[in-house]
Structure formats: structure tokens, C-alpha cells
Amino acid sequence: MTFLRKTVLPTAFVIALGAVGGLLAKVAGLPLPYMLGSLLATALLTVTRPQTLPEGYRFPNDFRKVFIGLVGLSIGASITREVVASLPSAIYSFGALTLFVPLVHAINYTIFRKLGRYDHPTAFFAATPGGLMESILMGEGRGADIRLLTMQQFLRIITVVTLLPVGLSLWYGHPVGSAGGMSLSRSGADLHHFPEVIVALTVGILLSRIPFLPAGQLVGPMLVGMVCTLTGLLVIEVPSYMISGAQVVIGASLGARFVGIRPGMLIKGMGLALTSVGGMLVVGGIMAMLLRPITGEHFDVLLISFAPGGVTEMALVALSLQVNPAFVTLHHIYRIVLTIIEMPLAWKFAERRGLD
């Protein structure tokens, strides 16, 4: 009975609130509406009325893992043979991304450490240019302030996926991204292949338990989805409403962690996010200009590929611009994977050097 009152009912309430926030964000035409709307709705509650939830409440992690795995599986399934075939033409932009990730990580760390006065672990993991879930999971295990870390990582995404599509919409004179009504889910996807999705998701969750796999709850299912798609072993088709539901749960679970964050902290965090994202877009823009004559790709396509926002939203923007979404998706998946690899290596380097 205590578990029902302190965990089940509050979790159901938080998810319901997140769903309402997601629907309102969708109606308002916001980018990545279900995740960001859910996050904003639950964060608003926890910041302004923390007493609404039981003292010491934490969103059930095992429950959240299922939905993180579903998103990871869908991302992995987006790595088709077309994406793999485009690898040779992306070698130069991949090389630039390899420099981009550690460079902007170092710049962001300076911003959060020197301007924001965050402690070393919080500044380090808040500074990563991608891998939201991975950064939060790794930072949580290394003593970061999970409230500030979650806030800054989501403010990064909010800033990028709001300003970039809005800016491009104004530039082109029509909506782009999810505001343009597009979806990354396969057209007509239904429950016909759902048993295969369950099998792949189960294997991915089991794979996520491998100790050395960074952020395994996302990466494990992502690897399974990629293998299934490339080999044709299983058909991974997840209906769009399931992906939307998963985003609501993930957004709500993170928004529930904002207990204790004061409005002043949010204002400060937004200022730091604007500074950080502005710096990353400048670096990405410079690299895009240098890569344009080498790759033959348009500047805006390359900028979208470097912009440190959500994989889904950046792919949606690419679709709206009628360019190959595989090119953009490939770069953002690589950015996430590179960030996952770079984070523990950079953390160990900083510890050995005694950097703080």
C-alpha cells in the first residue's frame, strides 16, 4: 500500500501531467513537443509546487529504462543500408565532428566552471555537446549535481531545437521540423511487427547490462535495432504514438528531478545555455563553411548536422528542407557515440592531471 501511494500513484500523475504538457506543446507547434512539453510541465510543477509529490519521491528507474530502450531501438533502426552507403562521402565531416566534440566540450566546461561557478563534475557533464541521457547517467555516478546537470542538458536541447528550426523557418518563410508536421516514424507503421519489436527490445535491455557498455540502457537497444535493420533479421517498426509516449515518459521522469531548483537557478541556467549553444553554433558554422567546398553539401545542411540538438528533431528539419535525412541522422548518431566514448576518456584524463 505504501508503494502504491508513494510510487505508483505519483508516477501515474507525473506521466499524465507530462502527456498534457506534450499535447499542449504539439498544439503550440513547438519542436520535439512530447519530450520538451512533458519536461516543461513536470519541471514547472516540481519547481513551483514541490510539495505536490511525496517527500523523497524518485521516478522508477526500471520503468524508465523500457522507454529509453524503445527510443534507442528506433534510433538504431534508422541506420539503414542507405545511411551506411553514405559513409564514404561523409568522411571529411566525420573528421570535423571528431574535432568538434572535444573542442566544444572544453569550451563549454570553461563556461560552466568559470562563468557558472559549477563544481567540477557538474560543469564537466553539463558541458557535453550531446548524449543527454548518457551525460546524466555518467554524471550521476560521478558526483554531479543531478538537478543542475539535467537542467543544463535540457536547456541545451531546448535552445538548439527551438532557435534553429525557428531561425530556419524565418529564413525560408515556412515552418521546418516538427512544427512543419513531419515525423521520423515510418509511414503507416502499426502493430503488425510489434512482437518483433518486443523481442528486439528485450534483447537490447539484456545487452544493456554489459558492465563496460556506456549508457547501456540506450546504446544496447540501439545496437540491436541497427543489426536487425541492416541484416533484415527483424522488422523494427514502432508506431509514432509509441515514440511520442516514450518521449512523454522520459521527459516526465527528468522533469520530476527538478525538485529544489529555484527560478533564479533557471534564469542563470538559461543564460549559460545561450552562451554555450551560441559558442557551439559558431564553431559548427565555421566548420560547415570550411567543409562546404570539400563535401559539396549546402551550408545549412552541414550546420544542421553539427547543431547539438536532438537526433529526431534535426532529422525532421532535414526532411523539411528536402535533403537526405540519412546524412544528418548519421552525423548526429556519430556525435552521440563519439560523446559517449569521449566522456570517460576525458574524465580520466582530467583526474590524472588533477584538473578542476
Side-chain angles (χ1 to χ4, degrees):
M1 196 66 180
T2 302
F3 178 74
L4 176 67
R5 181 170 54 86
K6 291 191 174 182
T7 302
V8 176
L9 293 179
T11 299
F13 171 72
V14 167
I15 292 174
L17 178 63
V20 172
L23 290 172
L24 290 175
K26 178 67 174 178
V27 171
L30 296 181
L32 213 61
Y34 295 108
M35 191 170 190
L36 295 182
S38 176
L39 166 70
L40 292 173
T42 52
L44 182 63
L45 174 74
T46 54
V47 169
T48 60
R49 298 186 63 84
Q51 69 275 15
T52 304
L53 299 175
E55 186 177 355
Y57 169 78
R58 288 185 65 85
F59 197 96
N61 191 50
D62 289 338
F63 181 66
R64 182 182 64 166
K65 283 181 180 179
V66 176
F67 296 93
I68 294 174
L70 188 63
V71 172
L73 187 68
S74 300
I75 292 174
S78 71
I79 307 177
T80 61
R81 293 180 181 180
E82 178 190 14
V83 174
V84 174
S86 66
L87 279 171
S89 63
I91 185 170
Y92 296 108
S93 49
F94 265 44
L97 262 178
T98 305
L99 296 175
F100 176 84
V101 167
L103 175 61
V104 299
H105 191 179
I107 293 172
N108 289 343
Y109 176 80
T110 302
I111 292 171
F112 290 120
R113 189 76 175 110
K114 303 300 182 182
L115 295 181
R117 304 286 183 181
Y118 289 167
D119 61 74
H120 172 57
T122 303
F124 181 90
F125 291 101
T128 59
L132 179 147
M133 297 304 303
E134 299 85 354
S135 300
I136 292 172
L137 292 171
M138 290 187 186
E140 188 175 23
R142 289 164 174 79
D145 186 325
I146 197 64
R147 301 170 306 158
L148 294 176
L149 172 55
T150 302
M151 179 184 71
Q152 289 298 164
Q153 282 292 341
F154 263 97
L155 286 176
R156 169 181 61 83
I157 291 181
I158 290 169
T159 304
V160 173
V161 304
T162 300
L163 295 184
L164 188 63
V166 169
L168 289 174
S169 295
L170 294 174
W171 178 262
Y172 286 104
H174 60 81
V176 300
S178 58
M182 295 198 170
S183 172
L184 194 60
S185 301
R186 295 187 184 183
S187 178
D190 53 26
L191 296 177
H192 182 69
H193 295 286
F194 190 64
E196 295 169 83
V197 172
I198 293 296
V199 171
L201 181 59
T202 301
V203 173
I205 291 174
L206 292 175
L207 185 65
S208 71
R209 296 181 178 179
I210 297 177
F212 59 82
L213 189 65
Q217 55 190 267
L218 183 79
V219 176
M222 186 175 77
L223 292 174
V224 173
M226 179 182 66
V227 171
C228 288
T229 298
L230 293 178
T231 63
L233 183 64
L234 296 175
V235 177
I236 307 299
E237 289 187 354
V238 182
S240 59
Y241 60 83
M242 286 191 178
I243 297 298
S244 299
Q247 292 182 57
V248 166
V249 172
I250 294 170
S253 69
L254 291 170
R257 293 191 172 194
F258 275 57
V259 174
I261 290 183
R262 299 179 299 277
M265 296 168 66
L266 282 174
I267 295 173
K268 174 184 175 181
M270 193 66 230
L272 291 171
L274 287 170
T275 304
S276 169
V277 169
M280 287 190 284
L281 289 179
V282 168
V283 174
I286 292 172
M287 289 187 172
M289 286 190 292
L290 294 175
L291 287 168
R292 182 182 177 184
I294 300 174
T295 63
E297 291 288 345
H298 292 290
F299 170 80
D300 50 6
V301 175
L302 290 166
L303 179 61
I304 295 168
S305 299
F306 278 85
V311 176
T312 301
E313 190 60 29
M314 295 301 100
L316 292 176
V317 174
L319 283 171
S320 291
L321 293 176
Q322 297 181 347
V323 299
N324 182 8
F327 182 87
V328 173
T329 301
L330 181 67
H331 284 74
H332 285 289
I333 290 174
Y334 178 66
R335 174 176 55 83
I336 292 173
V337 172
L338 190 62
T339 301
I340 294 172
I341 296 172
E342 185 263 353
M343 270 193 294
L345 294 177
W347 178 260
K348 289 180 180 178
F349 175 81
E351 284 188 321
R352 283 199 301 266
R353 296 279 181 164
L355 300 179
D356 191 351

